[in-house]
Amino acid sequence: MSFESFIGLRYLRAQRSSAFLSTITLICVGGVAVGVCALIVVLSVMAGFEDELRDKIIGHKAHGSLLRTDDLPFGGYRELLEKMDRTPGVVGAMPYLKQEVMVSSDENVTGAVLKGIDLSRLGRVSKLPEQLIAGELADLKDPEKLMENTRRDIENKIQEGLLLPEWTGRTKKRLGNKALPGIVVGKEMAGYLGVSVGDELNVVNPLGGGVGPMGPIPSNEYFRVAGVFFTGLFEYDMKFAYTTIPALQTFSSMEDEITAIEFKVEEEKLFETEEIGRAILAGIGGDAFKIMDWKQMNRSLFSALQLEQLAMFIILTFITLVAAFNIASTLIMMVIEKSQEIAILKSMGADRRAIMKVFMLDGLIIGGLGTLIGASLGFFICWLIPFVDLRLDPEVYYMTSVPVQVKGFQVAAILISALMISWLATIYPAWQAAGMKPVDGLRYD
């Protein structure tokens, strides 16, 4: 053990004459620990929210989409699909057609985004099959089977006494006696419209009937609910609905055209979608297309989350700054109390650098001990949170429980900043101690 370390540790040990100073030292350690703990817990919870939200959004929208530069529908997409499937890093691709519509039931009406999908490719790019909580996706392409299932379900309910024979308000087509194209809606939309699997919805395309003397003429068609999905994101569960591409093309009076081709990449390449997008464009050739990845489509949301994390890091760092001022004041009082000993050490040959090392070491020990305790407590709380039943309102927070994700670079930044602030707090007291003249320390002895 070096001379400076021996003296520094001796000054930190509680003595009868310096019990008050030792108490202040413990308070300094606690201040640093509270700051580090708060930073780790808050930033880990915020990182968990960001990751959970990103997973839900990506699971609903895939990782990227190929669109025309003018955002118009396009045909000849099957050849493009084959080229995209061969692109390194792409797990799967699926064409889709999107149309903004109005959806109404006997109880209510709401706006929606109706999306035509390819069921044979859906599982490659979307988590929708896993998110289905009622019905079957296969019924989307088999209206006859959906009709039979609906009619059988209603007849069973009538026999069980759950429906009266004369009450047919559950379906507008009298016991489901007409085959209708299927539609899958979100849980929130189903609840708002008061429908379930087998019920019918009137879907209105405001521009589907062409243009008449008085302006655009809407068109409408009845769809039968084939399933209900739940993503946990209120916006998606309330605004999105799915059908097949041919059904939506017929409803919209379109040729064999689609809106875009969405694709999914390998999990380890999630943050390389820009490079993969450029490879896709290079593979298909031409300048008629563009790539929109998940980062571009949700840029404002994730930028806001990152800015919020930075703001919380800065705000909570002030707790550590307050503790740093306590460290500085503790060292100043220590210099005053130990002035005689400092004078003796300097008269025995200790230079300025050695004296500075003594007090800087004391400050680093206080800061390091507080950082270690705070980090341990923060990790413990992060580990404990999933076991505590902290329920959230999914309509507000898009999830039902508090997520936690401890990220190494965030923890490293917290620990380094805490140690750096503690070190900076030692400079002035150590400099004052090093500049003390031996005669001043021994003048009254």
Side-chain angles (χ1 to χ4, degrees), residues 63 84-92 263-270 272-273 275-277 279-280:
H63 296 158
M84 292 177 68
D85 285 336
R86 293 194 296 266
T87 304
V90 175
V91 174
F263 61 91
K264 185 177 181 180
V265 303
E266 298 171 0
E267 289 298 329
E268 60 271 16
K269 296 183 178 180
L270 181 60
E272 300 177 19
T273 48
E275 293 79 3
I276 295 176
I280 291 174

Side-chain angles (χ1 to χ4, degrees), residues 64-241:
S65 296
L66 174 73
L67 308 93
R68 279 179 57 100
T69 53
D70 54 10
D71 295 324
L72 293 176
F74 59 91
Y77 57 88
R78 292 175 178 82
E79 182 181 353
L80 297 177
L81 279 170
E82 295 177 359
K83 293 180 179 180
M84 292 177 68
D85 285 336
R86 293 194 296 266
T87 304
V90 175
V91 174
M94 182 192 73
Y96 70 87
L97 179 63
K98 188 168 65 174
Q99 180 73 53
E100 294 188 5
V101 297
M102 298 291 293
V103 182
S104 65
S105 67
D106 288 342
E107 296 186 12
N108 233 323
V109 61
T110 184
V113 176
L114 182 58
K115 189 174 180 180
I117 54 178
D118 184 348
L119 293 179
S120 64
R121 288 176 167 267
L122 179 64
R124 305 182 190 179
V125 299
S126 174
K127 294 181 181 178
L128 183 62
E130 304 170 15
Q131 297 166 341
L132 204 68
I133 59 175
E136 297 181 12
L137 285 174
D139 288 345
L140 284 178
K141 57 182 180 182
D142 194 348
E144 295 290 340
K145 179 182 176 184
L146 179 58
M147 177 192 66
E148 292 297 330
N149 291 341
T150 300
R151 184 161 50 196
R152 188 181 307 111
D153 180 57
I154 293 176
E155 291 173 351
N156 290 338
K157 282 182 167 49
I158 291 176
Q159 293 177 1
E160 294 171 4
L162 299 177
L163 285 178
L164 296 176
E166 64 272 13
W167 186 67
T168 58
R170 186 176 182 276
T171 170
K172 297 177 181 178
K173 299 301 179 184
R174 299 285 176 179
L175 301 182
N177 55 7
K178 180 179 179 182
L180 300 174
I183 187 172
V184 174
V185 299
K187 179 181 177 182
E188 301 297 337
M189 184 187 296
Y192 182 74
L193 296 176
V195 297
S196 60
V197 175
D199 289 340
E200 296 166 11
L201 293 174
N202 184 22
V203 180
V204 180
N205 183 353
L207 305 177
V211 180
M214 302 301 292
I217 301 174
S219 64
N220 76 295
E221 184 175 350
Y222 281 99
F223 284 73
R224 192 181 307 283
V225 178
V228 178
F229 67 88
F230 176 68
T231 66
L233 292 170
F234 179 82
E235 179 182 356
Y236 294 153
D237 292 340
M238 184 65 190
K239 293 300 181 184
F240 277 85

